[in-house]
Amino acid sequence: MSTPFPFTAVVGQDDLRLALLLNAVSPAVGGVLVRGEKGTAKSTAVRALSALMPEVDVVSGCRFSCDPHSPDPGCPDGPHEPGASGSRPARMVELPVGASEDRLVGALDIERALAEGVKAFEPGLLADAHRGILYVDEVNLLHDHLVDLLLDAAAMGASYVEREGVSVRHASKFLLVGTMNPEEGELRPQLLDRFGLTVEVSASREPDQRVEVVRRRLAHDDDPAGFAARWADEEAAVRARIVAARELLPSVRLGDGALRQIAATCAAFEVDGMRADIVMARTATALAAWAGRTDVLAEDVRQAALLALPHRRRRNPFDAPGLDEDKLDETLEEFGGPDGDGGGDDDPGPDPDGPGGPGGQPEPDDAPQGDGDAAARPEAGEGGEPRPSGGAGEQSPARAAEPFRTKVLSVPGLGEGAAGRRSRARTEHGRTIGARRPQGALTKLHLAATVQAAAPHQRARGRSGPGLVVRRDDLRQATREGREGNLVLFVVDASGSMAARQRMSAVKGAVLSLLLDAYQRRDKVGLVTFRGSAADVALPPTSSVDAAAARLESLPTGGRTPLAAGLLRAHEVLRVERLRDPARRALVVVVTDGRATGGPEPVALAGRAARLFAAEGVASVVVDCESGPVRLGLAGRLAGELGGTAVTLDELRADSIAGLVKDVQGNRRAA
């Protein structure tokens, strides 16, 4: 077994180390979510924590780690006799992103069921993690069906398994720790709220600190055991401090003044529900115990707010996490209690002996740099003064309209794409709708169908005992139906004819609205824009709403209308995405007035490009942005070439765009 990197040897990352240690002192805090860029020691620090956790007493032979002092009365391995106990190190159980449902919650022991004819339960990772740490690396990429199971277990402190004739309930109380890179997509709000604390981490920009990181990493890789031995004293000191803080924790006093500050802070930042108040109270208490105090001070409340509130104040995925620290300090000062927390103004930071530091990291700027001097001539009906011109016909970016809730958008038919929450699909996870012979390796056994296939042949196979004689030809694969995620690709005309602020604001608002819906339904969304003489992929297919919002907000307009270039670039994006993910189905939404200018025969060239989509059967809709008393109907003709339907710009507002897409798909089915 490899020697882990020592926790105390991690350079910097004070907030991360403090949050993990507070959970080691008080597991009731509720776990930690670590957000940050790749290569910032997120996983290293989390895996190193397990070596510092105190040992746990368990009932000997119990697969579910029952506490001998208070065994679970409903334990599947119970009832337990008193006195049969032992101790073992706390477990760090890792949940792989691609784990199966059976591996997480457990399932019927198929081997014993078929060979011995007995119904036996094989525990999963939730049983292994009981009274320990459940760690999910890249937790934002976890499949939704596993997220639902985690939510149930975290809420009830137990895992319930009702499947394949098995009915089992066992205790499952664990410290949930997750790491994620926000660039790869956000986390579902329900799971996000289950993490007690959150920490933003980033690599240090100080050369001396970066040198020390590299020096320690190389030293560990060259001699892991020797490196760990050099840090053994520091590890033992932190381990002893955790034990002392745990013993002191019940004696820590959370006065009315501190409680009033906690409640006022949560109200001031408008967090939902009461979980934030409870987590802050537990965190502040753990901070006091970690510092060796029996009273909670204002500094503890402040640090607890910086760790417990940033991820709870987000109203939607477009909001950046974080807290206004000036507002926090004003609230704490205003509601400072008379029962004496004393250190709020004199020492606003955490305990200097601890590894923690002030919370809150600056958010990275994901927005691409726009043309700061770009300006354009004003269009008719556009308010405000134009900025000085910096490019031919280019206007400064228009702000997006307020996002709105969209209707359900789904692709017709039964797909086989990545698991999501939108269109019907055959998936590895979902409700079982039938059985078939396996094609290749068996992945999901349909037990009833397998037994039914083997049952008529038992006498001919010479069965004499209770076990069922099963051969490979009897095995049946379960066929399951769930939901898939799709790719919604917007092709947006950003030329001069589209540059009116109201039009582009509505277009951006609709794209952001569908992006928010895509985040909730695990879709991918892309954006291709065309103006001047070329087309650009402004937003490659992604599920990261933060990056998407920044790029859409900075989208400039102006110039000619290379419609054909936009369609061809969109076709290329779809071609590349099919190579990366051939099972994901796409929908193309073209937002334009239908005009095509620049180059020889621009209209005919755009028609030929559009027919490429029709030939491949790609569902499409054209949002007609043409305005004025005289309409040329060019967008309608483009929709005919695409094999889709045209709608007007007015129908883009409110909840119309997603509903129109759904109507278009319904028309395609009827045709």
Side-chain angles (χ1 to χ4, degrees):
M1 183 177 180
S2 60
T3 303
F5 195 89
F7 185 87
T8 51
V10 174
V11 179
Q13 306 299 7
D14 293 338
D15 288 341
L16 169 57
R17 293 191 292 150
L18 178 62
L20 292 172
L21 289 170
L22 292 177
N23 276 272
V25 171
S26 176
V29 167
V32 185
L33 174 65
V34 187
R35 296 165 46 94
E37 59 195 34
K38 52 189 175 292
T40 50
K42 300 188 298 292
S43 300
T44 299
V46 172
R47 292 189 174 100
L49 177 66
S50 60
L52 301 179
M53 297 289 286
E55 290 190 341
V56 294
D57 295 330
V58 296
V59 174
S60 299
C62 178
R63 297 175 297 167
F64 302 90
S65 302
C66 278
D67 186 348
H69 307 293
S70 180
D72 180 9
C75 176
D77 285 355
H80 298 299
E81 297 294 331
S85 64
S87 62
R88 61 163 175 77
R91 289 175 179 164
M92 166 79 75
V93 177
E94 293 197 36
L95 172 59
V97 169
S100 67
E101 183 177 336
D102 293 348
R103 186 70 189 96
L104 179 61
V105 301
L108 180 68
D109 190 331
I110 300 297
E111 183 177 350
R112 292 190 62 189
L114 296 179
E116 303 174 22
V118 298
K119 185 163 60 176
F121 178 70
E122 184 177 2
L125 295 177
L126 289 180
D128 294 341
H130 180 45
R131 304 177 65 204
I133 302 171
L134 182 62
Y135 171 48
V136 190
D137 193 13
E138 305 294 351
V139 64
N140 52 324
L141 304 182
L142 197 64
H143 287 303
D144 280 344
H145 70 286
L146 298 181
V147 171
D148 294 337
L149 295 171
L150 273 182
L151 288 172
D152 289 342
M156 297 182 291
S159 176
Y160 292 83
V161 183
E162 300 283 349
R163 54 187 302 172
E164 297 168 344
V166 175
S167 179
V168 173
R169 174 254 175 223
H170 65 82
S172 183
K173 297 180 181 179
F174 48 82
L175 176 62
L176 182 61
V177 180
T179 55
M180 61 174 283
N181 183 348
E183 294 177 355
E184 298 171 340
E186 288 295 336
L187 201 60
R188 279 176 55 185
Q190 297 91 334
L191 184 57
L192 185 64
D193 190 52
R194 283 292 169 186
F195 287 97
L197 310 179
T198 186
V199 178
E200 295 278 337
V201 298
S202 60
S204 172
R205 298 299 182 256
E206 293 293 331
D208 291 343
Q209 195 172 73
R210 296 175 73 97
V211 166
E212 186 61 23
V213 169
V214 175
R215 181 181 291 119
R216 293 186 186 183
R217 182 77 255 181
L218 294 178
H220 175 267
D221 292 345
D222 291 341
D223 183 10
F227 185 81
R230 291 195 293 273
W231 288 89
D233 291 343
E234 287 82 352
E235 293 280 287
V238 173
R239 192 179 299 109
R241 188 174 176 184
I242 292 173
V243 173
R246 282 192 172 190
E247 294 174 351
L248 182 63
L249 188 64
S251 303
V252 175
R253 174 179 172 269
L254 183 65
D256 290 342
L259 278 173
R260 189 159 45 247
Q261 287 182 317
I262 290 171
T265 301
C266 292
F269 285 99
E270 299 181 344
V271 296
D272 295 330
M274 295 297 298
R275 182 173 286 118
D277 303 62
I278 297 171
V279 171
M280 273 191 65
R282 290 171 174 167
T283 304
T285 303
L287 279 162
W290 178 249
R293 290 186 266 101
T294 56
D295 286 313
V296 173
L297 306 182
E299 65 194 61
D300 301 322
V301 176
R302 185 182 193 278
Q303 184 66 58
L306 292 172
L307 293 173
L309 296 188
H311 62 301
R312 291 188 166 90
R313 59 158 294 276
R314 302 182 74 184
R315 283 292 179 265
N316 62 64
F318 304 132
D319 295 335
L323 289 182
D324 183 340
E325 295 195 33
D326 291 336
K327 180 179 179 180
L328 174 60
D329 291 335
E330 291 173 3
T331 303
L332 294 176
E333 183 177 355
E334 179 182 356
F335 290 90
D339 56 340
D341 50 21
D345 294 329
D346 295 332
D347 185 12
D351 172 51
D353 294 331
Q361 296 287 340
E363 284 294 306
D365 184 8
D366 288 329
Q369 296 297 316
D371 296 330
D373 60 347
R377 61 188 184 279
E379 295 250 343
E382 180 183 342
E385 292 293 328
R387 299 195 319 190
S389 177
E394 181 174 303
Q395 293 198 348
S396 58
R399 294 188 62 84
E402 189 69 20
F404 50 81
R405 186 175 181 83
T406 65
K407 297 180 180 179
V408 178
L409 183 156
S410 60
V411 176
L414 192 63
E416 296 182 349
R421 303 175 68 87
R422 186 172 299 280
S423 304
R424 294 174 56 234
R426 286 184 290 269
T427 63
E428 287 293 318
H429 312 284
R431 64 186 183 93
T432 301
I433 60 174
R436 58 177 174 82
R437 292 181 181 273
Q439 299 173 351
L442 178 70
T443 56
K444 296 290 181 182
L445 178 70
H446 194 298
L447 182 60
T450 298
V451 172
Q452 187 176 8
H457 309 291
Q458 295 306 294
R459 181 175 297 178
R461 294 173 182 174
R463 173 183 170 181
S464 57
L468 193 67
V469 181
V470 179
R471 294 179 180 172
R472 182 168 182 80
D473 290 342
D474 301 326
L475 299 178
R476 294 295 182 268
Q477 174 86 22
T479 303
R480 300 185 177 184
E481 180 178 310
R483 293 281 172 175
E484 67 174 1
N486 301 116
L487 168 61
V488 181
L489 181 62
F490 279 80
V491 185
V492 179
D493 184 349
S495 64
S497 62
M498 290 282 295
R501 289 291 190 272
Q502 186 175 3
R503 296 186 204 168
M504 288 310 299
S505 177
V507 169
K508 289 184 178 182
V511 175
L512 288 176
S513 301
L514 281 177
L515 183 63
L516 176 58
D517 186 62
Y519 157 73
Q520 295 169 339
R521 300 183 185 279
R522 293 298 186 264
D523 288 321
K524 296 178 76 173
V525 174
L527 174 64
V528 173
T529 65
F530 55 95
R531 66 185 185 92
S533 60
D536 296 312
V537 181
L539 174 66
T542 181
S543 297
S544 176
V545 295
D546 291 337
R551 283 160 175 75
L552 287 168
E553 196 67 28
S554 62
L555 177 66
T557 58
R560 292 182 177 272
T561 312
L563 177 58
L567 295 175
L568 290 174
R569 179 58 64 92
H571 187 268
E572 177 64 15
V573 169
L574 292 183
R575 184 189 70 81
V576 173
E577 283 300 304
R578 288 194 197 100
L579 295 176
R580 293 174 177 169
D581 190 357
R584 188 182 293 270
R585 296 181 291 170
L587 173 72
V588 176
V589 179
V590 184
V591 185
T592 181
D593 56 11
R595 289 181 172 85
T597 59
E601 300 182 347
V603 176
L605 185 59
R608 288 196 295 272
R611 287 192 288 275
L612 294 175
F613 294 89
E616 296 174 359
V618 178
S620 61
V621 58
V622 177
V623 179
D624 185 358
C625 300
E626 189 175 26
S627 60
V630 179
R631 294 177 177 269
L632 303 179
L634 298 176
R637 271 184 259 171
L638 175 62
E641 299 281 4
L642 286 166
T645 302
V647 296
T648 64
L649 182 62
D650 292 338
E651 295 170 314
L652 191 66
R653 302 295 301 170
D655 61 351
S656 59
I657 180 65
L660 290 168
V661 172
K662 187 176 181 181
D663 293 341
V664 168
Q665 295 168 341
N667 294 337
R668 290 174 63 88
R669 287 195 295 269

